[in-house]
Amino acid sequence: MIERIETGVRSSKIVKHNGVAYITGQVGEGETIQEQTQECLRRLDALLEQAGSSREKMLRATIWLADMSDFAGLNEVWNAWVPEGHAPARACGEAKLARAELKVEIIVDAAYD
């Protein structure tokens, strides 16, 4: 069975199937990469909880940066957020994001009970 949560015309915020919750990409507001990353992660926390999951159950994270020069600032916030011993498989690349002011987008897949 596939469960879709907060489904709109274009996408669902969460899709659950076979014990995996696929969380749609999250962006954040703010002037700096750190502020935007903190907001992304706050939103991801809420969606993980809504999916019946948590940071400790993350399987994979895909991170898009508008500029790879923000990599260190992203990691500063990310490393503090990921629970020790529970780091997901992760990819990080550079991409043109949906709006010029966006610096980061984070997509997470996580197990749920």
Side-chain angles (χ1 to χ4, degrees):
M1 183 176 113
I2 298 172
E3 179 183 359
R4 299 175 197 282
I5 300 170
E6 294 192 45
T7 300
V9 174
R10 192 171 308 135
S11 68
S12 299
K13 290 204 175 183
I14 303 166
V15 176
K16 296 170 73 174
H17 178 67
N18 263 0
V20 178
Y22 303 90
I23 310 294
T24 195
Q26 295 300 300
V27 297
E29 303 300 321
E31 295 298 316
T32 68
I33 186 63
Q34 291 89 344
E35 290 170 340
Q36 287 194 19
T37 302
Q38 287 169 345
E39 179 65 15
C40 280
L41 299 178
R42 186 194 65 73
R43 292 176 182 184
L44 282 169
D45 275 334
L47 289 169
L48 286 166
E49 183 177 339
Q50 188 175 357
S53 189
S54 67
R55 296 178 198 179
E56 290 80 8
K57 295 180 181 178
M58 289 188 299
L59 302 171
R60 178 175 53 186
T62 304
I63 302 171
W64 296 114
L65 290 172
D67 187 332
M68 284 304 290
S69 69
D70 284 328
F71 189 67
L74 159 80
N75 284 332
E76 173 187 317
V77 177
W78 175 265
N79 293 346
W81 181 77
V82 174
E84 188 173 337
H86 297 278
R90 186 183 114 162
C92 184
E94 184 175 282
K96 185 172 183 175
L97 300 179
R99 297 189 319 265
E101 65 272 15
L102 294 175
K103 297 178 180 294
V104 62
E105 182 172 355
I106 303 175
I107 306 159
V108 168
D109 303 332
Y112 66 90
D113 293 325

